[in-house]
Amino acid sequence: QVQLVESGGGLVQPGGSLRLSCAPSGSIFSASRMGWHRQAPGKQRELVASITNGGFTNYADSVKGRFAISRNNTKNTVYLQMNSLKPEDTAVYYCYAVLGLVTYWGQGTQVTVSS
């Protein structure tokens, strides 16, 4: 059973930074792609960033230049460095990992950007 565990969320002021982490728990696997989605209240879940095991990255237009995704392939851990945070970045952030035809999700971590 693959479980993903996220950490690093919290409350931050506008302009601040946070670093999210996501690691598998209980299983060893090699994901072809890992990344982050987010869901704000009353909105649909949206892709934030993704990274392949070859290092290719993809970002939502709204976070380009502010967020950076990285990955440790040995540990199958993915990170999301979020800088210059804005109130509109407030959401629950979900980590995911693609193994073959199956996508696994974490339980989410809350990020709140507010003064």
Side-chain angles (χ1 to χ4, degrees):
Q1 181 71 21
V2 176
Q3 292 182 326
L4 299 175
V5 180
E6 300 120 329
S7 61
L11 173 64
V12 64
Q13 291 186 343
S17 298
L18 284 174
R19 187 184 191 228
L20 305 182
S21 299
C22 173
S25 175
S27 299
I28 299 175
F29 64 91
S30 179
S32 60
R33 188 169 69 251
M34 300 183 75
W36 299 87
H37 278 60
R38 69 185 179 186
Q39 187 165 19
K43 295 187 177 181
Q44 291 187 332
R45 189 176 294 194
E46 62 176 356
L47 172 69
V48 177
S50 65
I51 184 168
T52 69
N53 52 9
F56 291 101
T57 59
N58 183 43
Y59 294 93
D61 288 342
S62 60
V63 306
K64 284 181 180 177
R66 300 188 298 122
F67 291 11
I69 190 169
S70 60
R71 176 173 176 171
N72 182 322
N73 284 335
T74 301
K75 298 180 179 179
N76 273 294
T77 301
V78 64
Y79 307 94
L80 185 67
Q81 178 66 43
M82 305 185 294
N83 300 323
S84 302
L85 282 161
K86 304 175 181 180
E88 51 263 44
D89 294 317
T90 295
V92 178
Y93 285 69
Y94 298 91
C95 168
Y96 73 94
V98 178
L99 282 74
L101 299 179
V102 180
T103 299
Y104 296 91
W105 293 90
Q107 292 187 326
T109 184
Q110 177 70 45
V111 171
T112 302
V113 184
S114 175
S115 56

